[in-house]
């Protein structure tokens, strides 16, 4: 073997070892609080974090995400993660708060997008996952877990899925339309669940937060793919969502949570190296934040190995949203 071939062979072997090490590192979970200093986008590089949801409780920002752990060729998401911060710089990663396996009715490794909301001192975590056979068929479903603490531990609040695929076959024939829950509690105390893939839906939630009340109602939005997120500023309600594929984020505005929604255009362009684009929008200590994921962790990142990023969100005078500027410096410049 020539010196050049030997060096190439050693190089490839080393890359293989590093790649396996990187994969193993990205699969780890922590069992106790761990502090992480964040200074740019993506926030975390020690593991993959996808489909962010954000919740502000008092002076603390909580970030929830699914943990991508696959080989980069498809989704393999066994659990969700939770991080918290008071200053956006020093973050605490908490023990794994919830896994697909905590739902006895769910199929493993399907911890898709989710959102946590507080009601009366309890924290309800609405998740997308895959349900075992219902009417002889598997399909995506929405479950709900509950905890007394935003960092968990959470447990299945219902013992069965809140939304199963057979509840929406009137509008779509696909088995994966019941994903990506976002929850809103309106000023009169009525809670709403929005969700969907290819078709957006909403339904009222009963005060117990674990049953829907009344009909499922389809929401008409141009080129809706998935990932609805509701937020409000002043008198305007905003429904942002992933559009097209690869996905951008678009948004619509309304004076009522029940619509009608007026389409306002693109909010965020395709996020680097990821075919999905999933956002959360919250106000924290006087600033508005756009939390999303990309596939930009060097060499190993991609559409199935995603990483959470945060940039600022700004409003125009008329309440419409300025287009997001995705940056590597993020909010830390
Ligand atoms: O992570 C799985 C799925 O990819 C989510 O549920 C969608 O929003 C997309 O990001």
């Amino acid at each position: 073997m020539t010196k050049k071939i030997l060096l190439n062979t050693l190089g490839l072997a080393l890359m293989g070892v590093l790649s396996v090490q990187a994969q193993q590192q990205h699969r780890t979970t922590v069992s106790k609080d761990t502090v992480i200093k964040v200074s740019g986008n993506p926030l975390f590089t020690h593991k993959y974090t996808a489909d962010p949801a954000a919740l502000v409780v008092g002076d603390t920002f909580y970030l929830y995400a699914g943990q991508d752990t696959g080989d980069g060729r498809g989704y393999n998401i066994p659990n969700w993660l939770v991080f918290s911060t008071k200053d956006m710089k020093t973050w605490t990663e908490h023990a794994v708060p919830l896994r697909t396996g905590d739902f006895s009715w769910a199929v493993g490794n399907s911890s898709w997008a989710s959102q946590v909301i507080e009601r009366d001192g309890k924290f309800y975590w609405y998740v997308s996952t895959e349900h075992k056979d219902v009417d002889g068929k598997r399909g995506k479903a929405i479950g709900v877990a509950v905890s007394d603490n935003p960092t968990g531990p959470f447990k299945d609040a219902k013992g069965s899925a809140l939304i199963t695929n057979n509840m929406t076959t009137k509008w779509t024939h696909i088995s994966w339309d019941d994903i990506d829950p976002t929850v809103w509690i309106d000023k009169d105390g009525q809670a709403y669940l929005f969700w969907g893939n290819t078709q957006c839906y909403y339904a009222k939630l009963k005060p117990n937060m674990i049953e829907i009340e009344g009909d499922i109602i389809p929401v008409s939005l141009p080129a809706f793919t998935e990932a609805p997120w509701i937020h409000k500023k002043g008198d305007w309600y905003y429904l942002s969502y992933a559009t097209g594929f690869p996905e951008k984020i678009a948004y619509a505005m309304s004076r009522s949570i029940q619509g009608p929604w007026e389409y306002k255009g693109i909010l965020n362009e395709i996020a680097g190296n990821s075919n999905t684009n999933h956002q959360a929008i919250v106000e924290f200590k006087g600033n508005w934040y756009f939390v999303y994921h990309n596939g930009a962790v060097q060499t190993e990142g991609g559409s199935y190995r995603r990483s959470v990023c945060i940039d600022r969100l700004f409003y125009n005078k008329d309440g419409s949203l300025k287009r997001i500027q995705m940056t590597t410096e993020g909010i830390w410049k």
Side-chain angles (χ1 to χ4, degrees), residues 51 75 77 112-113 128 179-180 226-227 276 278 293 306:
D51 300 323
Y75 294 126
I77 319 177
W112 286 23
S128 326
I179 61 167
D180 292 8
E226 57 186 1
T276 61
H278 194 117
H293 67 221
R306 298 161 291 179

Side-chain angles (χ1 to χ4, degrees), residues 222-225 238-253 262-271 277 279 281 290 313-314 316 320-326:
F224 175 84
T225 303
Y238 298 82
L239 199 177
S240 50
Y241 61 94
T243 184
F245 200 84
E247 296 174 346
K248 300 177 183 181
I249 301 299
Y251 77 105
M253 291 167 67
E262 185 187 342
Y263 180 72
K264 300 299 283 186
I266 298 298
L267 174 60
N268 192 32
E269 301 291 344
I270 294 169
N277 195 330
Q279 79 298 351
I281 296 174
F290 185 82
L313 174 88
F314 296 101
N316 294 309
S320 59
L321 303 177
K322 290 191 196 287
R323 204 169 284 212
I324 298 298
Q325 279 195 2
M326 291 181 280

Side-chain angles (χ1 to χ4, degrees), residues 22-230:
Q23 281 180 36
Q24 282 166 350
Q25 183 196 0
H26 281 285
R27 285 190 186 141
T28 57
T29 53
V30 298
S31 53
K32 60 179 172 48
D33 289 0
T34 309
V35 172
I36 305 163
K37 292 277 181 198
V38 168
S39 57
N41 282 325
L43 271 71
F44 311 116
T45 51
H46 66 298
K47 59 187 59 173
Y48 295 112
T49 49
D51 300 323
L55 174 72
V56 174
V57 183
D59 65 351
T60 308
F61 184 115
Y62 294 92
L63 169 65
Y64 302 87
Q67 185 176 1
D68 275 344
T69 65
D71 59 7
R73 287 179 287 188
Y75 294 126
N76 194 300
I77 319 177
N79 58 277
W80 292 271
L81 299 166
V82 57
F83 303 83
S84 67
T85 183
K86 289 184 190 301
D87 62 5
M88 305 302 277
K89 291 180 192 140
T90 304
W91 290 74
T92 301
E93 179 177 1
H94 302 275
V96 168
L98 188 64
R99 302 168 191 273
T100 321
D102 294 329
F103 298 98
S104 60
W105 47 267
V107 178
N109 296 341
S110 59
S111 301
W112 286 23
S114 68
Q115 185 179 353
V116 178
I117 196 165
E118 180 184 8
R119 169 153 240 172
D120 301 331
K122 288 202 179 296
F123 296 86
Y124 294 90
W125 195 341
Y126 297 83
V127 302
S128 326
T129 185
E130 172 128 355
H131 66 70
K132 294 174 185 166
D133 282 6
V134 172
D135 295 345
K137 249 183 107 181
R138 275 190 186 187
K140 292 292 178 211
I142 293 172
V144 52
V146 67
S147 174
D148 293 330
N149 194 300
T151 57
F154 285 81
K155 62 174 192 331
D156 186 354
K158 200 173 154 69
S160 59
L162 174 60
I163 306 287
T164 48
N165 182 50
N166 58 350
M167 294 164 76
T168 53
T169 42
K170 191 165 145 190
W171 296 282
T172 68
H173 297 293
I174 58 173
S175 62
W176 59 92
D177 58 317
D178 298 299
I179 61 167
D180 292 8
T182 180
V183 202
W184 180 258
I185 300 175
D186 211 20
K187 48 185 186 282
D188 60 359
Q190 177 63 57
Y192 293 83
L193 177 75
F194 285 71
W195 75 98
N197 176 295
T198 65
Q199 173 64 58
C200 185
Y201 308 100
Y202 83 88
K204 288 182 180 171
L205 286 167
K206 289 187 180 171
N208 66 15
M209 300 296 273
I210 62 169
E211 290 173 277
I212 63 165
E213 181 151 53
D215 293 335
I216 292 175
I217 299 169
V219 184
S220 174
L221 294 164
F224 175 84
T225 303
E226 57 186 1
W229 179 271
I230 302 281

